Amino acid sequence: MKQELKKSLSPMEYAMKYLTLKDRTVSEMQTYLDSKEFGEADVDATVNRLIELDLLNDARYARRFVETRTATKPVSRRRLYEQLKGHGISDELIREALASVEPEEEESNA
């Protein structure tokens, strides 16, 4: 039955279902679609289309992650870096997102 379901959904349909739960990173989406055993070309095409549609945006994800964490569960910049790295965000985008954390704010979070 599961195999029949897989055949009935396209990579984009899987991706859209996955995005309804919460924002995702490019890396998370690639891993998810890979787990559904779609070919590399289908995964790449789907991810690229989601980026074009601005449904996947790692910079936005990183900014929102930092905003949410500093507001609800304050942690150090280092911990935020590690968490974002775990979501597959690039060092450059992490640095940009962390630039919004003021030194005084980090001190009070630590």
Side-chain angles (χ1 to χ4, degrees), residues 39-81:
E40 186 176 340
D42 287 335
V43 171
D44 289 345
T46 301
V47 168
N48 288 334
R49 183 65 179 140
L50 292 168
I51 291 168
E52 286 173 16
L53 295 170
D54 201 31
L55 295 173
L56 285 180
N57 182 319
D58 282 358
R60 181 180 60 224
Y61 182 96
R63 281 191 312 273
R64 287 181 178 169
F65 187 92
V66 169
E67 289 169 5
T68 301
R69 284 295 193 275
T70 55
T72 60
K73 200 182 214 181
V75 295
S76 69
R77 291 168 63 109
R78 181 69 194 162
R79 183 71 179 126
L80 288 168
Y81 173 89

Short mmCIF file of all heavy atoms in Angstrom, two decimals, residues 39-81:
data_model
loop_
_atom_site.label_atom_id
_atom_site.label_comp_id
_atom_site.label_asym_id
_atom_site.label_seq_id
_atom_site.Cartn_x
_atom_site.Cartn_y
_atom_site.Cartn_z
N GLY A 39 14.51 10.15 -8.03
CA GLY A 39 15.81 10.32 -8.66
C GLY A 39 16.39 11.70 -8.38
O GLY A 39 15.67 12.65 -8.05
N GLU A 40 17.69 11.80 -8.51
CA GLU A 40 18.39 13.05 -8.23
C GLU A 40 17.86 14.20 -9.09
O GLU A 40 17.69 15.32 -8.61
CB GLU A 40 19.89 12.86 -8.48
CG GLU A 40 20.73 14.05 -8.07
CD GLU A 40 22.22 13.79 -8.24
OE1 GLU A 40 22.64 12.62 -8.30
OE2 GLU A 40 22.95 14.79 -8.31
N ALA A 41 17.58 13.94 -10.35
CA ALA A 41 17.07 14.99 -11.23
C ALA A 41 15.71 15.49 -10.76
O ALA A 41 15.45 16.71 -10.77
CB ALA A 41 16.97 14.46 -12.66
N ASP A 42 14.83 14.59 -10.33
CA ASP A 42 13.51 15.00 -9.82
C ASP A 42 13.65 15.81 -8.53
O ASP A 42 12.94 16.81 -8.35
CB ASP A 42 12.63 13.77 -9.56
CG ASP A 42 12.12 13.12 -10.83
OD1 ASP A 42 12.03 13.81 -11.86
OD2 ASP A 42 11.82 11.92 -10.78
N VAL A 43 14.52 15.38 -7.65
CA VAL A 43 14.74 16.09 -6.38
C VAL A 43 15.27 17.49 -6.68
O VAL A 43 14.76 18.49 -6.16
CB VAL A 43 15.69 15.32 -5.45
CG1 VAL A 43 16.09 16.16 -4.24
CG2 VAL A 43 15.04 14.01 -4.99
N ASP A 44 16.30 17.57 -7.52
CA ASP A 44 16.90 18.87 -7.85
C ASP A 44 15.88 19.80 -8.51
O ASP A 44 15.79 20.98 -8.17
CB ASP A 44 18.12 18.71 -8.76
CG ASP A 44 19.31 18.10 -8.03
OD1 ASP A 44 19.31 18.07 -6.78
OD2 ASP A 44 20.25 17.68 -8.73
N ALA A 45 15.11 19.28 -9.45
CA ALA A 45 14.12 20.10 -10.14
C ALA A 45 13.06 20.61 -9.17
O ALA A 45 12.65 21.79 -9.22
CB ALA A 45 13.47 19.30 -11.26
N THR A 46 12.62 19.75 -8.27
CA THR A 46 11.60 20.14 -7.30
C THR A 46 12.14 21.20 -6.35
O THR A 46 11.48 22.22 -6.11
CB THR A 46 11.11 18.91 -6.51
OG1 THR A 46 10.57 17.95 -7.43
CG2 THR A 46 10.05 19.29 -5.49
N VAL A 47 13.33 20.98 -5.81
CA VAL A 47 13.94 21.94 -4.88
C VAL A 47 14.16 23.28 -5.59
O VAL A 47 13.85 24.34 -5.03
CB VAL A 47 15.24 21.38 -4.28
CG1 VAL A 47 16.03 22.45 -3.55
CG2 VAL A 47 14.92 20.22 -3.34
N ASN A 48 14.67 23.24 -6.80
CA ASN A 48 14.89 24.49 -7.54
C ASN A 48 13.59 25.24 -7.78
O ASN A 48 13.54 26.47 -7.67
CB ASN A 48 15.61 24.22 -8.86
CG ASN A 48 17.06 23.85 -8.65
OD1 ASN A 48 17.68 24.23 -7.66
ND2 ASN A 48 17.61 23.08 -9.58
N ARG A 49 12.53 24.52 -8.08
CA ARG A 49 11.23 25.17 -8.29
C ARG A 49 10.70 25.78 -7.00
O ARG A 49 10.15 26.88 -6.99
CB ARG A 49 10.22 24.16 -8.86
CG ARG A 49 8.89 24.76 -9.18
CD ARG A 49 8.97 25.79 -10.30
NE ARG A 49 7.64 26.31 -10.57
CZ ARG A 49 7.38 27.57 -10.83
NH1 ARG A 49 8.36 28.45 -10.91
NH2 ARG A 49 6.15 27.97 -11.04
N LEU A 50 10.88 25.08 -5.88
CA LEU A 50 10.45 25.61 -4.58
C LEU A 50 11.23 26.87 -4.23
O LEU A 50 10.67 27.80 -3.64
CB LEU A 50 10.62 24.55 -3.50
CG LEU A 50 9.67 23.35 -3.61
CD1 LEU A 50 10.11 22.25 -2.67
CD2 LEU A 50 8.23 23.76 -3.33
N ILE A 51 12.51 26.91 -4.59
CA ILE A 51 13.31 28.11 -4.37
C ILE A 51 12.79 29.25 -5.24
O ILE A 51 12.62 30.38 -4.76
CB ILE A 51 14.81 27.83 -4.63
CG1 ILE A 51 15.36 26.88 -3.56
CG2 ILE A 51 15.61 29.13 -4.68
CD1 ILE A 51 16.74 26.31 -3.86
N GLU A 52 12.52 28.96 -6.51
CA GLU A 52 11.97 29.98 -7.43
C GLU A 52 10.66 30.54 -6.90
O GLU A 52 10.40 31.74 -7.02
CB GLU A 52 11.70 29.37 -8.81
CG GLU A 52 12.91 29.09 -9.63
CD GLU A 52 12.57 28.33 -10.92
OE1 GLU A 52 11.37 28.28 -11.31
OE2 GLU A 52 13.49 27.77 -11.52
N LEU A 53 9.83 29.70 -6.32
CA LEU A 53 8.53 30.12 -5.77
C LEU A 53 8.67 30.76 -4.39
O LEU A 53 7.67 31.18 -3.80
CB LEU A 53 7.58 28.92 -5.70
CG LEU A 53 7.18 28.30 -7.03
CD1 LEU A 53 6.44 26.99 -6.80
CD2 LEU A 53 6.33 29.28 -7.83
N ASP A 54 9.89 30.84 -3.88
CA ASP A 54 10.20 31.38 -2.55
C ASP A 54 9.53 30.59 -1.43
O ASP A 54 9.21 31.12 -0.38
CB ASP A 54 9.83 32.87 -2.47
CG ASP A 54 10.58 33.58 -1.35
OD1 ASP A 54 11.72 33.18 -1.03
OD2 ASP A 54 10.00 34.52 -0.75
N LEU A 55 9.31 29.31 -1.68
CA LEU A 55 8.78 28.43 -0.63
C LEU A 55 9.91 27.82 0.18
O LEU A 55 9.69 27.36 1.31
CB LEU A 55 7.91 27.34 -1.26
CG LEU A 55 6.64 27.87 -1.93
CD1 LEU A 55 5.93 26.75 -2.68
CD2 LEU A 55 5.71 28.50 -0.91
N LEU A 56 11.10 27.79 -0.38
CA LEU A 56 12.32 27.41 0.33
C LEU A 56 13.25 28.61 0.26
O LEU A 56 13.55 29.10 -0.83
CB LEU A 56 13.02 26.21 -0.32
CG LEU A 56 12.44 24.83 -0.12
CD1 LEU A 56 13.29 23.80 -0.86
CD2 LEU A 56 12.33 24.47 1.34
N ASN A 57 13.68 29.09 1.42
CA ASN A 57 14.56 30.25 1.47
C ASN A 57 15.40 30.12 2.74
O ASN A 57 14.92 30.42 3.83
CB ASN A 57 13.72 31.53 1.46
CG ASN A 57 14.56 32.78 1.45
OD1 ASN A 57 15.57 32.88 2.14
ND2 ASN A 57 14.12 33.75 0.67
N ASP A 58 16.63 29.66 2.59
CA ASP A 58 17.48 29.41 3.75
C ASP A 58 17.81 30.68 4.53
O ASP A 58 17.90 30.64 5.76
CB ASP A 58 18.76 28.70 3.34
CG ASP A 58 18.56 27.21 3.09
OD1 ASP A 58 17.43 26.71 3.27
OD2 ASP A 58 19.55 26.54 2.71
N ALA A 59 17.96 31.80 3.85
CA ALA A 59 18.25 33.06 4.56
C ALA A 59 17.08 33.45 5.45
O ALA A 59 17.26 33.81 6.62
CB ALA A 59 18.56 34.17 3.56
N ARG A 60 15.88 33.37 4.91
CA ARG A 60 14.67 33.68 5.69
C ARG A 60 14.53 32.70 6.85
O ARG A 60 14.22 33.08 7.98
CB ARG A 60 13.43 33.65 4.80
CG ARG A 60 12.15 33.98 5.55
CD ARG A 60 10.92 33.95 4.66
NE ARG A 60 10.75 32.63 4.06
CZ ARG A 60 10.45 32.42 2.78
NH1 ARG A 60 10.29 33.43 1.95
NH2 ARG A 60 10.31 31.19 2.33
N TYR A 61 14.76 31.42 6.58
CA TYR A 61 14.67 30.40 7.62
C TYR A 61 15.62 30.73 8.77
O TYR A 61 15.23 30.69 9.94
CB TYR A 61 15.02 29.02 7.04
CG TYR A 61 14.89 27.90 8.03
CD1 TYR A 61 13.74 27.13 8.10
CD2 TYR A 61 15.93 27.60 8.92
CE1 TYR A 61 13.61 26.11 9.03
CE2 TYR A 61 15.81 26.58 9.85
CZ TYR A 61 14.65 25.84 9.90
OH TYR A 61 14.53 24.83 10.82
N ALA A 62 16.87 31.07 8.44
CA ALA A 62 17.87 31.37 9.47
C ALA A 62 17.46 32.60 10.28
O ALA A 62 17.56 32.59 11.52
CB ALA A 62 19.24 31.57 8.83
N ARG A 63 17.00 33.64 9.61
CA ARG A 63 16.57 34.86 10.33
C ARG A 63 15.42 34.55 11.28
O ARG A 63 15.44 34.95 12.45
CB ARG A 63 16.13 35.94 9.34
CG ARG A 63 17.24 36.70 8.69
CD ARG A 63 16.73 37.93 7.94
NE ARG A 63 15.59 37.68 7.07
CZ ARG A 63 15.66 37.26 5.82
NH1 ARG A 63 16.83 37.02 5.27
NH2 ARG A 63 14.56 37.06 5.10
N ARG A 64 14.42 33.84 10.79
CA ARG A 64 13.26 33.51 11.64
C ARG A 64 13.66 32.61 12.80
O ARG A 64 13.16 32.76 13.91
CB ARG A 64 12.18 32.83 10.80
CG ARG A 64 11.45 33.78 9.89
CD ARG A 64 10.39 33.05 9.11
NE ARG A 64 9.64 33.95 8.25
CZ ARG A 64 8.80 33.54 7.32
NH1 ARG A 64 8.58 32.25 7.12
NH2 ARG A 64 8.17 34.41 6.57
N PHE A 65 14.55 31.68 12.54
CA PHE A 65 15.01 30.77 13.58
C PHE A 65 15.66 31.56 14.70
O PHE A 65 15.36 31.35 15.88
CB PHE A 65 16.01 29.76 12.97
CG PHE A 65 16.43 28.68 13.90
CD1 PHE A 65 15.75 27.47 13.95
CD2 PHE A 65 17.53 28.85 14.73
CE1 PHE A 65 16.15 26.46 14.81
CE2 PHE A 65 17.94 27.85 15.60
CZ PHE A 65 17.24 26.65 15.63
N VAL A 66 16.56 32.48 14.33
CA VAL A 66 17.26 33.29 15.34
C VAL A 66 16.26 34.17 16.09
O VAL A 66 16.30 34.25 17.33
CB VAL A 66 18.38 34.14 14.69
CG1 VAL A 66 18.92 35.18 15.67
CG2 VAL A 66 19.50 33.23 14.21
N GLU A 67 15.34 34.80 15.37
CA GLU A 67 14.33 35.65 16.02
C GLU A 67 13.50 34.86 17.01
O GLU A 67 13.27 35.30 18.14
CB GLU A 67 13.41 36.27 14.97
CG GLU A 67 14.04 37.33 14.12
CD GLU A 67 13.17 37.74 12.93
OE1 GLU A 67 12.02 37.25 12.81
OE2 GLU A 67 13.66 38.53 12.11
N THR A 68 13.04 33.70 16.59
CA THR A 68 12.19 32.87 17.45
C THR A 68 12.95 32.37 18.66
O THR A 68 12.45 32.45 19.79
CB THR A 68 11.63 31.68 16.65
OG1 THR A 68 10.89 32.18 15.54
CG2 THR A 68 10.74 30.81 17.51
N ARG A 69 14.15 31.86 18.44
CA ARG A 69 14.93 31.32 19.55
C ARG A 69 15.30 32.39 20.57
O ARG A 69 15.21 32.16 21.77
CB ARG A 69 16.22 30.64 19.06
CG ARG A 69 16.02 29.29 18.42
CD ARG A 69 15.51 28.28 19.45
NE ARG A 69 15.59 26.93 19.00
CZ ARG A 69 14.70 26.31 18.26
NH1 ARG A 69 13.64 26.94 17.85
NH2 ARG A 69 14.85 25.06 17.91
N THR A 70 15.72 33.56 20.09
CA THR A 70 16.11 34.60 21.04
C THR A 70 14.90 35.14 21.81
O THR A 70 15.05 35.62 22.93
CB THR A 70 16.86 35.76 20.34
OG1 THR A 70 16.07 36.27 19.28
CG2 THR A 70 18.21 35.30 19.82
N ALA A 71 13.72 35.05 21.22
CA ALA A 71 12.52 35.53 21.90
C ALA A 71 11.92 34.50 22.85
O ALA A 71 11.34 34.86 23.87
CB ALA A 71 11.46 35.93 20.87
N THR A 72 12.05 33.21 22.53
CA THR A 72 11.35 32.20 23.31
C THR A 72 12.26 31.29 24.13
O THR A 72 11.87 30.82 25.18
CB THR A 72 10.50 31.30 22.40
OG1 THR A 72 11.36 30.66 21.46
CG2 THR A 72 9.42 32.08 21.69
N LYS A 73 13.43 31.01 23.63
CA LYS A 73 14.33 30.07 24.28
C LYS A 73 15.76 30.59 24.12
O LYS A 73 16.54 30.04 23.35
CB LYS A 73 14.19 28.71 23.60
CG LYS A 73 14.64 27.53 24.38
CD LYS A 73 14.47 26.28 23.52
CE LYS A 73 14.10 25.09 24.34
NZ LYS A 73 13.96 23.90 23.51
N PRO A 74 16.07 31.69 24.80
CA PRO A 74 17.36 32.35 24.59
C PRO A 74 18.56 31.42 24.82
O PRO A 74 18.62 30.72 25.83
CB PRO A 74 17.35 33.48 25.61
CG PRO A 74 15.93 33.70 25.95
CD PRO A 74 15.27 32.36 25.82
N VAL A 75 19.46 31.41 23.84
CA VAL A 75 20.70 30.66 23.93
C VAL A 75 21.82 31.52 23.35
O VAL A 75 21.57 32.55 22.73
CB VAL A 75 20.61 29.31 23.17
CG1 VAL A 75 19.61 28.38 23.81
CG2 VAL A 75 20.29 29.51 21.71
N SER A 76 23.04 31.07 23.50
CA SER A 76 24.19 31.82 23.00
C SER A 76 24.25 31.79 21.48
O SER A 76 23.63 30.94 20.83
CB SER A 76 25.48 31.23 23.56
OG SER A 76 25.71 29.95 22.99
N ARG A 77 25.02 32.71 20.92
CA ARG A 77 25.23 32.74 19.47
C ARG A 77 25.84 31.42 19.00
O ARG A 77 25.50 30.91 17.95
CB ARG A 77 26.12 33.91 19.08
CG ARG A 77 25.47 35.26 19.27
CD ARG A 77 26.51 36.36 19.14
NE ARG A 77 27.08 36.37 17.81
CZ ARG A 77 26.86 37.31 16.90
NH1 ARG A 77 26.08 38.33 17.20
NH2 ARG A 77 27.41 37.26 15.72
N ARG A 78 26.75 30.89 19.79
CA ARG A 78 27.42 29.63 19.43
C ARG A 78 26.39 28.50 19.32
O ARG A 78 26.42 27.70 18.40
CB ARG A 78 28.50 29.27 20.47
CG ARG A 78 29.25 28.02 20.17
CD ARG A 78 30.11 28.22 18.95
NE ARG A 78 30.57 26.93 18.46
CZ ARG A 78 31.04 26.72 17.27
NH1 ARG A 78 31.14 27.70 16.43
NH2 ARG A 78 31.42 25.54 16.89
N ARG A 79 25.48 28.44 20.26
CA ARG A 79 24.44 27.40 20.24
C ARG A 79 23.51 27.60 19.04
O ARG A 79 23.13 26.64 18.38
CB ARG A 79 23.65 27.43 21.56
CG ARG A 79 22.62 26.35 21.65
CD ARG A 79 23.26 24.99 21.83
NE ARG A 79 22.22 23.99 21.93
CZ ARG A 79 22.13 22.91 21.18
NH1 ARG A 79 23.07 22.63 20.31
NH2 ARG A 79 21.13 22.07 21.31
N LEU A 80 23.16 28.85 18.76
CA LEU A 80 22.33 29.14 17.58
C LEU A 80 23.05 28.70 16.31
O LEU A 80 22.44 28.11 15.42
CB LEU A 80 22.00 30.63 17.50
CG LEU A 80 20.99 31.15 18.52
CD1 LEU A 80 20.97 32.67 18.52
CD2 LEU A 80 19.61 30.60 18.23
N TYR A 81 24.34 28.99 16.25
CA TYR A 81 25.15 28.58 15.09
C TYR A 81 25.07 27.06 14.92
O TYR A 81 24.81 26.56 13.82
CB TYR A 81 26.60 29.02 15.27
CG TYR A 81 27.52 28.48 14.20
CD1 TYR A 81 27.72 29.17 13.02
CD2 TYR A 81 28.16 27.26 14.37
CE1 TYR A 81 28.54 28.66 12.03
CE2 TYR A 81 28.98 26.74 13.38
CZ TYR A 81 29.16 27.44 12.22
OH TYR A 81 29.96 26.92 11.23
#
